[in-house]
Amino acid sequence: MTNMRNILLIAAVLVALVAVPPFLGLGWQNALVNILIASLFALAFNLLSGQAGLLSFGHAAYFGMGAFATLHLMLAIEDGLSFPTPLLPLAGAAMGLLIGVVAGFFATMRSGVYFALVTLAIAELFHSLTPHLQGFFGGESGISSMRMPWQGFVFGTVLEVYYLTLFWVVLSVMALWAYTRTPFGRLTLALRDNEQRVRFLGYNAHTSKVIIFAVSAMFSGVAGGLQAISNETANYALFSSHISAQVVLQTFVGGATIFFGPVVGAVSFTLFAYLVSDLTRSWLFYQGLIFVLVMLFAPTGIGGVVQHHLRNVRRDDWLLLAGPYALAATGGVLIAGAVIYLTETVAVLFGEEYAVQIRNAEGSLPAYEMFGAWWEPFGIATWLVPVVLLAAGGAILVKSRGNILKCWEKMGREVGEGAHEPAAPGVAK
Amino acid sequence: MTRKTTPRTSALQLTDVTKSFGEISVMKGVNLDVEAGERHAVIGPNGAGKSTLFNLISGLFAVSGGDICLNGRSITGLPPHRINRSGLARSFQITNIFHRLSVFENLRIGVLARHGVRFGLFQPVSRMRAINEETVDILERVGLEPRADHLAGDLTYSEQRALEIGMTLTTGADVILLDEPTAGMSREETAKAVELIRSVTEGKTLLMVEHDMSVVFSLCDRVSVLVYGSILATDTPERISANRQVQEAYLGEEAAT
């Protein structure tokens, strides 16, 4: 039953991924390419972090090396090497695997915090060395290449790149899924739970962890390779801690304990960046806020909350929950409104433009425009808006929280960590 | 007690094993000879070094001196996984299982290792019939088949102890080390655990640390008394309890408290 539903869901998603993009604009096609790449990267990362329990803070290294290797292969094709363009990501895979074996050998000698620090250091090593290496990494400006046509495919349009990316991502995700069903995939989970016992059952724990690390790095390399194909350029910024951190955030917001959780995180973060970064400069702040809220109120991530509901809520229970959840969502939206209002106000009042206006107004604080209206810095209305929003939203949330708790009690089931969850997506609006 | 009349062969032999942590010497030349097929207990007062002895034999700690032989071959200095593959499996005093895996999977990890499927990446484990059947077999032997699909972390304490014993069976070792398998159990649970240990170690060699003398008497062929890092005596349970030196060092002490 559940199995059938899952298969249908996956089939529907696949059909949509194949059929819809031709009808989308260039911007959306590009965003979808980025979403696919981020999803694969997050899944590859989570093989190590979620399944093996080894939290890496330096996965940018394997992503970046995959991208550079792929670009070098593209340059070689430009120079006349006959290699089918659609197989380019194999270069990323090979490079990811190679670097993964070497880096993994050292990093997995330790676990926990020390493991995380070693991975961080390895990525920083790449980030600080590559700008000085002109030959392979092209110095600070990086290297560029062109996608060469192969057989009938020109790879000149975003749509063609999209389908190439889709093919590789689906293939890789299937491989990563299959991995979890193999004996080694089960051993991966056992290592997360109790490495010592694994050793006393006759396994070489270190070798096993190196292999897991290398597989994770290999698929990260594929993701990096796809990015190189899409952008036709790469520079040392690919190794920055920002990239390493991004994949950690996406994975944990999506849910590290569920196979497709990281995809949820990657999709929401990439979409969020695509949609919101044009609207406000504070989008990174909002992104960080969402991360903090999810970690505080739904530590198992969005995927964890969804799974908890699918497992514990029967169909008729939804009628019971719908009301309180809608109420909570309203409260969440009001509070989100207040937070956005305050953030944007601060951004305006302490911004450069406004500083100039103050100077022109000879010290007094002029009115400013925001959300299509004019606001006085000392006006009562200006500050009444967020106060009212906060008070109303807070009251509603407190009320709905009680109702939700009662509902779960009535259903006779344990309250999940996500009982308060509608507040988190609410803030994202 | 059923003593072997066949020529004695050592399953496990410790010769002058020493261990020191920095200045502190915990093992002061332990000599121990566990015969193939016997059930052998190590007893001794708290702090005598019983768990340390197990950690030395199973390779968790490296010995400072001396030699350990398993079935006639030296295993001194080998890492735990090599010692396990040489035919020695151990349980732990503090339950040491995979809490977030099912009971079935806990056991299957060991069965996979025994079949040499340590890096199997190209076949789903669900299709490996021999391995799954063998896992079911061990599951039944330790009486956990009704709990097969539960998470190991959700089992009761005595069920976890049974799982702990089951895991030592999975790798097919013929020398089994059990570290206080009945610790913290009620009287009935202990009786059941003794029966379980008796049946699953049939035809194997057992070395166990045990505090409960009634368990030792009903289960073991021979007993070694470990006191402050050396073996005071090794004999049948009856003669050990009659040994005045042992009474002074250990049994008397317990009787006095």
Side-chain angles (χ1 to χ4, degrees):
Chain A
M1 183 62 192
T2 349
N3 231 344
M4 201 58 217
R5 197 175 60 186
N6 285 347
I7 291 170
L8 281 176
L9 184 69
I10 289 170
V13 169
L14 274 180
V15 167
L17 282 173
V18 172
V20 174
F23 305 102
L24 298 173
L26 269 187
W28 272 101
Q29 289 179 352
N30 235 328
L32 279 177
V33 170
N34 291 336
I35 284 175
L36 286 173
I37 293 171
S39 301
L40 175 58
F41 188 27
L43 275 177
F45 166 81
N46 198 42
L47 168 67
L48 193 61
S49 138
Q51 295 180 43
L54 293 164
L55 179 55
S56 158
F57 280 132
H59 248 47
Y62 320 106
F63 184 81
M65 284 307 289
F68 274 103
T70 306
L71 267 170
H72 276 284
L73 186 55
M74 287 166 77
L75 284 169
I77 296 172
E78 263 184 67
D79 289 344
L81 178 78
S82 81
F83 185 91
T85 304
L87 297 184
L88 277 173
L90 286 178
M95 184 58 95
L97 187 67
L98 181 72
I99 305 287
V101 167
V102 178
F105 180 83
F106 293 104
T108 58
M109 283 179 176
R110 296 282 171 271
S111 332
V113 177
Y114 306 102
F115 170 83
L117 291 179
V118 173
T119 55
L120 181 68
I122 290 171
E124 281 306 304
L125 197 71
F126 278 97
H127 189 235
S128 55
L129 276 181
T130 45
H132 309 295
L133 300 174
Q134 198 63 45
F136 191 81
F137 299 100
E140 283 193 29
S141 52
I143 56 173
S144 302
S145 177
M146 300 265 282
R147 292 183 293 265
M148 285 290 135
W150 176 77
Q151 307 288 356
F153 303 103
V154 186
F155 296 108
T157 66
V158 179
L159 196 61
E160 278 174 287
V161 173
Y162 169 80
Y163 281 122
L164 181 64
T165 310
L166 181 66
F167 169 78
W168 279 97
V169 169
V170 170
L171 192 72
S172 305
V173 171
M174 276 162 55
L176 283 166
W177 170 253
Y179 173 96
T180 63
R181 320 285 293 239
T182 65
F184 196 70
R186 307 321 290 172
L187 178 69
T188 306
L189 299 179
L191 272 166
R192 170 199 68 190
D193 266 17
N194 192 339
E195 184 185 326
Q196 190 195 52
R197 191 61 193 243
V198 164
R199 273 190 275 149
F200 283 98
L201 290 173
Y203 292 93
N204 186 331
H206 183 230
T207 309
S208 306
K209 288 197 288 181
V210 173
I211 294 174
I212 298 166
F213 195 106
V215 171
S216 169
M218 181 176 83
F219 284 104
S220 304
V222 173
L226 290 170
Q227 172 125 323
I229 295 169
S230 162
N231 292 354
E232 301 183 303
T233 178
N235 65 35
Y236 78 104
L238 277 177
F239 297 111
S240 78
S241 52
H242 172 71
I243 307 259
S244 296
Q246 198 70 22
V247 73
V248 176
L249 298 194
Q250 290 172 356
T251 301
F252 280 87
V253 165
T257 53
I258 298 141
F259 183 79
F260 281 107
V263 174
V264 175
V267 171
S268 15
F269 269 47
T270 318
L271 265 186
F272 185 80
Y274 175 64
L275 294 174
V276 183
S277 63
D278 286 342
L279 296 176
T280 167
R281 276 193 220 162
S282 316
W283 69 279
L284 272 175
F285 170 77
Y286 294 125
Q287 189 181 294
L289 200 63
I290 294 170
F291 176 70
V292 171
L293 286 173
V294 171
M295 287 301 97
L296 281 178
F297 297 109
T300 53
I302 300 171
V305 171
V306 171
Q307 192 191 42
H308 184 80
H309 281 78
L310 289 180
R311 282 210 182 140
N312 292 296
V313 183
R314 289 191 214 99
R315 191 167 294 168
D316 39 339
D317 291 337
W318 281 113
L319 293 173
L320 204 66
L321 285 172
Y325 273 22
L327 192 64
T330 315
V333 168
L334 290 181
I335 290 190
V339 170
I340 291 168
Y341 182 96
L342 287 172
T343 310
E344 297 306 323
T345 305
V346 168
V348 168
L349 290 180
F350 293 93
E352 252 172 78
E353 263 174 58
Y354 197 66
V356 173
Q357 286 179 29
I358 295 175
R359 209 173 309 134
N360 292 345
E362 285 160 357
S364 70
L365 298 178
Y368 58 93
E369 197 195 352
M370 187 173 71
F371 306 131
W374 286 88
W375 308 86
E376 290 288 340
F378 291 112
I380 294 174
T382 309
W383 298 102
L384 207 58
V385 170
V387 169
V388 169
L389 284 175
L390 271 180
I396 291 175
L397 266 191
V398 170
K399 174 96 175 87
S400 66
R401 183 162 192 271
N403 289 349
I404 290 171
L405 286 175
K406 259 184 238 153
C407 280
W408 279 89
E409 255 169 51
K410 215 191 253 172
M411 284 151 50
R413 255 143 290 159
E414 223 177 299
V415 181
E417 286 145 329
H420 204 51
E421 150 266 341
V427 173
K429 281 166 200 163
Chain B
M1 291 300 125
T2 50
R3 293 299 307 275
K4 297 262 164 8
T5 49
T6 44
R8 291 156 50 150
T9 48
S10 300
L12 189 63
Q13 192 168 32
L14 278 69
T15 318
D16 293 325
V17 169
T18 59
K19 175 68 182 175
S20 35
F21 295 106
E23 300 274 287
I24 306 156
S25 163
V26 248
M27 287 295 144
K28 298 163 184 157
V30 170
N31 289 289
L32 181 66
D33 200 341
V34 182
E35 290 167 28
E38 76 166 332
R39 297 195 180 95
H40 197 122
V42 177
I43 62 171
N46 284 331
K50 302 182 296 285
S51 284
T52 307
L53 186 67
F54 267 32
N55 288 338
L56 290 170
I57 297 172
S58 61
L60 185 61
F61 298 157
V63 296
S64 305
D67 194 33
I68 303 174
C69 283
L70 179 68
N71 297 323
R73 270 190 299 181
S74 174
I75 53 166
T76 318
L78 291 182
H81 65 272
R82 300 300 294 262
I83 293 177
N84 177 271
R85 289 183 212 168
S86 311
L88 182 144
R90 68 165 295 181
S91 76
F92 290 81
Q93 188 182 350
I94 297 160
T95 308
N96 210 344
I97 54 179
F98 307 117
H99 286 267
R100 286 181 284 174
L101 296 186
S102 74
V103 173
F104 184 80
E105 286 217 60
N106 265 269
L107 294 170
R108 190 167 61 186
I109 294 286
V111 177
L112 283 166
R114 189 174 90 69
H115 285 259
V117 194
R118 296 194 192 93
F119 304 114
L121 267 169
F122 301 102
Q123 200 193 343
V125 69
S126 54
R127 293 215 197 116
M128 299 179 165
R129 266 188 62 194
I131 283 169
N132 291 313
E133 279 167 12
E134 201 174 313
T135 308
V136 171
D137 181 50
I138 293 171
L139 201 58
E140 284 167 359
R141 279 165 71 191
V142 296
L144 286 175
E145 68 273 32
R147 306 286 265 161
D149 296 327
H150 287 73
L151 290 188
D154 292 341
L155 297 184
T156 66
Y157 177 72
S158 63
E159 284 172 332
Q160 287 185 347
R161 300 303 297 178
L163 177 59
E164 182 68 49
I165 292 170
M167 286 168 81
T168 62
L169 304 177
T170 52
T171 57
D174 52 9
V175 178
I176 308 278
L177 270 58
L178 299 181
D179 196 349
E180 300 205 21
T182 66
M185 285 189 179
S186 72
R187 193 172 294 240
E188 292 136 53
E189 287 170 339
T190 302
K192 272 170 84 180
V194 167
E195 279 322 302
L196 174 64
I197 295 167
R198 194 196 307 281
S199 73
V200 299
T201 56
E202 200 62 58
K204 296 177 190 279
T205 307
L206 171 70
L207 179 66
M208 67 191 291
V209 168
E210 187 51 69
H211 268 301
D212 189 334
M213 286 311 288
S214 65
V215 171
V216 173
F217 268 92
S218 66
L219 200 56
C220 294
D221 304 308
R222 290 199 302 160
V223 181
S224 291
V225 184
L226 184 71
V227 178
Y228 301 116
S230 50
I231 300 284
L232 191 67
T234 298
D235 218 324
T236 62
E238 290 80 8
R239 273 189 266 171
I240 282 291
S241 58
N243 184 322
R244 177 163 301 176
Q245 238 187 326
V246 174
Q247 284 173 350
E248 276 167 22
Y250 175 55
L251 295 171
E253 181 191 297
E254 202 170 60
T257 52

